[in-house]
Amino acid sequence: MIDKLEFFIALAREEHFGRAAEVCGVTQPTLSAGIKQLEGQLGVMLVLRGSRFQGLTPEGKQVLVWARRIVGDTRTMREEMRAARHGLSGRIRIAAIPTALAMLPRLTTPFREKHPGVTFSVLSRTSIEVLSLLGNFDIDAGITYLDNEPLGRVTSVPLYDERYQLITAMGNPYSDRDKVTWAELSSLPLCLLTPDMQNRRIIDQHLAEAGVQVRPTLESNSMIVLFSHIRTGKWSSIMPLNLAETFGFSEPIRAIPIIEPDASHTVGLVATPREPHTPLVSALLDEAMALADDFHANRSTRQG
């Protein structure tokens, strides 16, 4: 039954019999037969079939909710038994928004020092993709914004507040300033993340609140691309303070606080809202809470 439910979850996610079979490591006839057997056991049609996948029936959508819950519980049970026999081990799959990627070593490094049998898989994804992957059990945890767009039902640990700075080269407009307003940024050649990134939507929101609209001269979904263009001295960008600090900008690059408003948004770790969590996710949540305490302590020290 568990194998058949996993086939069904994969088909719902991939929306294609061939791709779902490939993900599950079986042949397409095996996957199709397994789902037909599941339909027979439950006494309902789950999939709208034609020459290709056409979607789930209403009953199929209901079963999908149960399938995710049952498969998730089964994975938790297996991990608990493995941890009981061999200690904490396995792979943690994490998806993070691009602006949080530079922070991840502060979470993964101390975690692995405590649990050397654990390995990590880290993906860069949009905030919407993070939640989708989490809901489909394709990742164990995500790092995303907690307070800007709806999250749905998740377990969350707030980590830090993202504050925004103008990153620009010496000699560019405003480079000699101690602060700059959102409205003043409209005159600069900016390179920003693409509009599918929530960071970009946040930036656009604050610019609109300041009564200006910015058309960036370069867009990318890669922070490395943005950094490399800033270093030419011909481009400026708007980035979180913690990200600029991590990459260690030095002269002739300046990071200038943006005010009016002095905006901040909370970034944190999210996991599925299940009890109990798998041993790996439970330990990761504990590590995230310890990291959050460090962030808050450092912020208090700066303010003091």
Side-chain angles (χ1 to χ4, degrees):
M1 173 67 80
I2 299 300
D3 289 343
K4 295 167 189 172
L5 291 174
E6 289 183 333
F7 289 172
F8 181 57
I9 292 171
L11 179 61
R13 179 179 62 247
E14 299 296 330
E15 298 183 344
H16 187 279
F17 280 93
R19 288 196 300 269
E22 184 177 352
V23 166
C24 294
V26 298
T27 65
Q28 184 171 329
T30 298
L31 182 131
S32 297
I35 291 176
K36 285 183 179 179
Q37 290 169 8
L38 182 62
E39 290 176 323
Q41 288 176 296
L42 297 176
V44 293
M45 294 291 293
L46 302 176
V47 180
L48 297 171
R49 291 179 178 83
S51 57
R52 57 187 177 181
F53 178 84
Q54 295 180 349
L56 302 181
T57 65
E59 295 81 4
K61 294 176 182 178
Q62 288 180 277
V63 170
L64 181 61
V65 175
W66 282 101
R68 287 171 172 164
R69 186 181 307 173
I70 292 166
V71 169
D73 286 342
T74 302
R75 290 175 180 174
T76 300
M77 178 185 67
R78 288 170 177 165
E79 281 198 23
E80 283 191 355
M81 294 306 98
R82 185 173 66 242
R85 293 194 310 271
H86 308 296
L88 207 60
S89 63
R91 179 178 292 270
I92 296 181
R93 304 161 299 166
I94 301 173
I97 56 175
T99 57
L101 288 171
M103 177 279 303
L104 261 176
R106 296 187 61 177
L107 179 66
T108 55
T109 302
F111 185 95
R112 195 166 186 280
E113 287 175 352
K114 297 172 186 174
H115 309 290
V118 175
T119 60
F120 293 89
S121 172
V122 177
L123 304 174
S124 175
R125 293 291 185 268
T126 69
S127 56
I128 293 173
E129 289 170 335
V130 168
L131 296 178
S132 176
L133 290 168
L134 194 64
N136 287 328
F137 297 100
D138 290 325
I139 57 173
D140 302 296
I143 297 179
T144 186
Y145 295 100
L146 302 184
D147 63 354
N148 187 58
E149 295 179 355
L151 290 173
R153 291 183 64 249
V154 296
T155 297
S156 64
V157 178
L159 292 175
Y160 61 89
D161 290 332
E162 191 177 82
R163 310 184 83 86
Y164 306 97
Q165 306 233 332
L166 170 66
I167 311 299
T168 193
M170 291 295 293
N172 282 342
Y174 311 129
S175 63
D176 59 343
R177 300 268 291 271
D178 292 328
K179 58 186 68 173
V180 63
T181 68
W182 286 92
E184 290 174 316
L185 302 179
S186 61
S187 62
L188 298 177
L190 293 174
C191 54
L192 300 174
L193 287 172
T194 49
D196 59 327
M197 299 292 178
Q198 191 171 169
N199 172 266
R200 172 64 184 281
R201 295 195 293 275
I202 287 172
I203 288 171
D204 286 347
Q205 170 190 327
H206 291 307
L207 289 168
E209 291 169 352
V212 297
Q213 185 176 10
V214 169
R215 290 184 174 84
T217 49
L218 182 141
E219 297 176 325
S220 175
N221 62 0
S222 166
M223 299 305 301
I224 298 299
V225 171
L226 300 188
F227 278 117
S228 63
H229 280 79
I230 293 167
R231 289 189 182 279
T232 67
K234 305 298 183 182
W235 310 73
S236 300
S237 190
I238 302 169
M239 292 186 179
L241 171 60
N242 62 292
L243 185 63
E245 290 176 338
T246 300
F247 275 80
F249 278 125
S250 59
E251 297 297 341
I253 303 296
R254 290 207 61 210
I256 305 166
I258 304 173
I259 60 171
E260 298 181 19
D262 179 11
S264 68
H265 293 274
T266 303
V267 174
L269 184 137
V270 294
T272 53
R274 61 185 315 105
E275 290 293 343
H277 288 103
T278 68
L280 285 174
V281 171
S282 181
L284 188 66
L285 289 168
D286 289 342
E287 193 65 46
M289 287 186 277
L291 178 58
D293 290 341
D294 287 345
F295 276 122
H296 296 155
N298 291 336
R299 183 179 62 184
S300 299
T301 300
R302 286 179 181 174
Q303 292 173 345

